Amino acid sequence: MNNLRQQFPILSQKINGQPLVYFDNAATAQKPQAVLDAINDFYTKYNSNVHRSFNPLGEKATQLYEEARQKVAQFINAKSAPEIIFTSGTTESINLVAQAWGQRNLKKGDRVVISIAEHHSNFVPWLQLKEEVGIEIDVIPLSNDYKLDIKKARTLLQQNNVKLLAITGCSNVLGEITNLQPLLDEARERGIVTLVDAAQLIAHEKIDVQKLGCDFLAFSGHKLFGPTGIGVLYARKELLEQMPAWQGGGEMIQEVHQDSFTVNELPHRFEAGTPNIAGAVGLGAAIDFVMENFDIIKKREQELTEYFLEKINQLDFIKLVGGQESKNRAPVFSFTIDGVHPHDAADILGERGIILRAGHHCAQPLHESLSLEATLRASLSFYNTTEEIDKFFKELTLVYKKFQ
Ligand code: 7TS
């Protein structure tokens, strides 16, 4: 484990003379040396554009870019690489579905089912379609244990005119991992198209899109120890083939004439312009890292989750917003502190080298439903340690005392 942590150079730095305690992994995870090297190597040795430059550099860049696509396909067990579209991240992936698939397939009165635990990026694109097209949005609520209310979800899916279930695989606030399979099965039986927001899930669970049977799945490279600015939209080929091209420009076309154009084959039809080639290469290296170390990552996260829950429950001035079970949970913990605003706590702890996020974490509807304005969030990764958790709770207790 120490060996793995040492592969993340940023983690050994100090902030204001204090060792960095990075507890903001749900916002973005840190990058191992292998990812930094892959990006550096690409720009140092192979930088060239892809799918257009028929020279040794261009061919090498194209090969590396397409190998990264193959790695993603293998990682999530897609049937074929053309089902993988590179985007700038989860947000762009979901917007692509809303605009290319939604604009064509949804009409006034059609229903989209989402959950209250969605990040804004799986809320707003549907609210935009509500404004533009007149779709209806149904929101699956939480039950008392902070899990999605499956009974209510079933009832919502059984209504007429439900065309899409768009749901998170793991809440970035509650840390709850959604029991996706029954929901996806129910949707499929009813001919409802499904989209999984795997932005958080991807770093914590093995995903098999064929087993899940989802139609779309979105994630970002940067939460999976890869670079920012690169993400993925997985889409079943049958759906992609029926979708109109989204953004227009170079690379997405086969031919362009003064008054017409024809579109390129999959997946290039959905990748207009020069893509984030170095980002894709870096994501490929991140996937190699995760595949090699998945068992250790999973085991460490489980241990840290149990330890964190045990510690947080010993402090009666903190209220955890999320379930107490350590199973089916990512090490993402949001909470409130009696008498202390989350932003004040995050500021003070940040000065001491402990990096957290405070606010609504781009999940304002969830906070509103729980009558909360803001929470403080500690989101851990496998490279964090129990010593860091101890230090965090010690410092947090000092902050609490200061405000009493
Ligand atoms: N969906 C979920 C569940 C997320 O947690 C995030 C980002 C997104 C979508 C959007 O991902 P992006 O890479 O396109 O921005 N979540 C967070 C967070 O919790 N703190 O900062 C970003």
Side-chain angles (χ1 to χ4, degrees), residues 26-27 90-91 119 121 168 172 197 199-200 220 222-223 357 377:
T90 309
T91 302
H119 185 273
S121 60
T168 187
N172 68 325
D197 171 357
Q200 296 294 336
S220 306
H222 70 97
K223 296 187 203 280
R357 186 172 170 192
R377 183 182 72 182

Side-chain angles (χ1 to χ4, degrees), residues 5 10-11 13-15 18-22 30 353 355 388:
R5 182 180 164 106
I10 202 172
L11 297 176
Q13 72 172 298
K14 295 207 158 133
I15 300 227
Q18 301 267 0
L20 167 67
V21 175
Y22 187 75
Q30 298 303 349
I355 308 298
E388 288 179 322

Side-chain angles (χ1 to χ4, degrees), residues 4 7 34 75 285-297:
L4 276 191
Q7 293 182 31
F75 186 54
I287 287 176
D288 286 342
F289 175 86
V290 171
M291 283 173 66
E292 233 165 79
N293 299 298
F294 187 80
D295 292 343
I296 305 176
I297 292 175

Side-chain angles (χ1 to χ4, degrees), residues 37-304:
D37 287 347
I39 298 167
N40 193 35
D41 259 21
F42 176 77
Y43 281 126
T44 311
K45 300 184 196 156
Y46 310 116
N47 182 45
S48 181
N49 215 325
V50 291
H51 293 298
R52 67 199 75 185
S53 314
F54 300 104
N55 57 61
L57 271 193
E59 279 164 20
K60 181 70 182 172
T62 302
Q63 178 201 331
L64 289 170
Y65 183 64
E66 291 306 323
E67 275 172 13
R69 195 190 307 277
Q70 297 274 1
K71 278 181 196 175
V72 174
Q74 198 191 343
F75 186 54
I76 60 171
N77 196 29
K79 249 191 209 153
S80 67
E83 294 186 318
I84 305 301
I85 314 285
F86 282 125
T87 63
S88 64
T90 309
T91 302
E92 190 177 60
S93 298
I94 298 175
N95 277 277
L96 196 167
V97 176
Q99 288 168 38
W101 179 86
Q103 286 280 6
R104 164 107 11 142
N105 291 284
L106 298 177
K107 55 182 192 316
K108 190 172 175 357
D110 282 346
R111 312 191 83 88
V112 170
V113 175
I114 61 174
S115 88
I116 191 64
E118 302 309 316
H119 185 273
H120 292 168
S121 60
N122 198 27
F123 241 109
V124 182
W126 312 116
L127 289 172
Q128 286 174 312
L129 278 189
K130 184 179 164 133
E131 278 182 8
E132 290 161 12
V133 178
I135 61 162
E136 303 290 334
I137 299 172
D138 295 305
V139 182
I140 305 169
L142 297 182
S143 50
N144 289 338
D145 55 1
Y146 293 97
K147 295 188 189 309
L148 294 189
D149 186 335
I150 294 285
K151 239 172 105 181
K152 181 75 185 162
R154 285 223 156 96
T155 315
L156 291 176
L157 290 173
Q158 286 162 7
Q159 300 171 101
N160 288 333
N161 289 340
V162 179
K163 294 288 157 57
L164 177 74
L165 168 69
I167 194 153
T168 187
C170 175
S171 160
N172 68 325
V173 176
L174 309 167
E176 292 291 335
I177 291 179
T178 312
N179 187 8
L180 287 170
Q181 201 68 63
L183 291 176
L184 296 174
D185 289 349
E186 174 92 30
R188 197 175 45 240
E189 276 163 30
R190 297 180 172 278
I192 298 167
V193 171
T194 53
L195 179 154
V196 174
D197 171 357
Q200 296 294 336
L201 189 67
I202 194 78
H204 306 294
E205 292 285 322
K206 276 197 175 127
I207 293 179
D208 180 334
V209 287
Q210 291 191 65
K211 188 153 168 259
L212 278 176
C214 56
D215 294 303
F216 297 108
L217 182 130
F219 70 90
S220 306
H222 70 97
K223 296 187 203 280
L224 187 68
F225 316 109
T228 51
I230 185 80
V232 167
L233 174 67
Y234 156 80
R236 258 192 333 108
K237 197 162 161 234
E238 292 73 14
L239 276 118
L240 277 183
E241 277 167 348
Q242 292 160 16
M243 279 159 59
W246 181 39
Q247 291 174 330
E251 200 39 43
M252 52 73 69
I253 45 80
Q254 213 151 43
E255 284 184 26
V256 182
H257 307 287
Q258 286 198 28
D259 54 3
S260 65
F261 69 94
T262 52
V263 290
N264 202 343
E265 60 192 26
L266 295 174
H268 312 294
R269 189 186 304 171
F270 294 99
E271 293 180 1
T274 299
N276 184 352
I277 310 165
V281 172
L283 174 58
I287 287 176
D288 286 342
F289 175 86
V290 171
M291 283 173 66
E292 233 165 79
N293 299 298
F294 187 80
D295 292 343
I296 305 176
I297 292 175
K298 192 74 201 148
K299 181 165 174 282
R300 270 309 285 167
E301 284 195 358
Q302 189 60 37
E303 286 164 5
L304 292 168

